[in-house]
Amino acid sequence: MHAVAVVGPLPERLLAPAGFRIGVGPEVTATEAPRSWEGAVRALRFAGTSRSDVGPAPVAEEPAIYHSSLGVFEVLARELSGPAIAGIGDLDVLDALAAEPGSGTEMLTTLEVLVQAGSLRAAARELHLHHNSVEVRVARAETALGYGPGETVGRFRLALALTLRRLRDNPA
């Protein structure tokens, strides 16, 4: 990990080189730099790894996260370590889906976009896929998960599982 101190405001969205993640701590005075570092590390746990440094990342792989955007999620990054998250059934299912040869990455991206988009059709637009293709992926995930990620409660449960998975895989 590296730290960069910046004077002045940062852009709303930062680009990250391919393979990198960025956590941005709160604005502080120089004497409070350690507090900003801690906030940046917590934000980093939520960041996705950039696949491109050419333009803005899809919402699901947001490589730059501001501590100020975490809100109530900050407590998860502060209090939950990787070992505390290990062994959760929903995460085991997501890991199995992610490990499927040839389709694992697309499956997880589809599920992340579904959570953020709120509907199959909106997710399909974001992914530049026909809604039937997204529906087939979601149906496969539903069978594995044992609940409907397209429904409100299922989408919330999936969102929490994806968040915990990211925290588990990105230790402080």
Side-chain angles (χ1 to χ4, degrees), residues 7-168:
V7 176
L10 291 172
E12 191 174 309
R13 258 186 118 178
L14 296 172
L15 296 178
F20 284 82
R21 300 178 299 127
I22 300 171
V24 179
E27 283 187 40
V28 296
T29 63
T31 59
E32 296 178 295
R35 185 172 67 83
S36 184
W37 173 257
E38 290 172 3
V41 169
R42 288 186 193 123
L44 185 65
R45 293 187 68 196
F46 289 95
T49 302
S50 176
R51 293 186 212 162
S52 169
D53 54 5
V54 179
V59 177
E61 83 173 45
E62 189 65 53
I65 302 292
Y66 285 78
H67 179 265
S68 60
S69 71
L70 295 180
V72 298
F73 288 104
E74 197 267 342
V75 73
L76 296 176
R78 185 180 66 235
E79 299 297 329
L80 294 178
S81 64
I85 301 169
I88 296 173
D90 285 358
L91 275 62
D92 294 340
V93 173
L94 290 174
D95 289 344
L97 289 169
E100 290 180 358
S103 65
T105 302
E106 292 83 12
M107 173 61 83
L108 272 236
T109 299
T110 299
L111 294 175
E112 288 177 347
V113 170
L114 172 66
V115 164
Q116 293 164 356
S119 74
L120 288 171
R121 289 190 183 274
R125 279 192 300 276
E126 174 80 21
L127 293 165
H128 305 290
L129 294 171
H130 191 276
H131 66 90
N132 287 343
S133 298
V134 173
E135 192 171 358
V136 167
R137 289 181 188 175
V138 170
R140 219 170 77 239
E142 183 174 334
T143 300
L145 290 165
Y147 60 88
E151 300 163 14
T152 304
V153 173
R155 198 166 38 255
F156 177 74
R157 182 174 168 181
L158 177 61
L160 185 55
L162 289 166
T163 299
L164 292 176
R165 186 174 187 272
R166 186 163 283 181
L167 289 174
R168 181 202 64 198

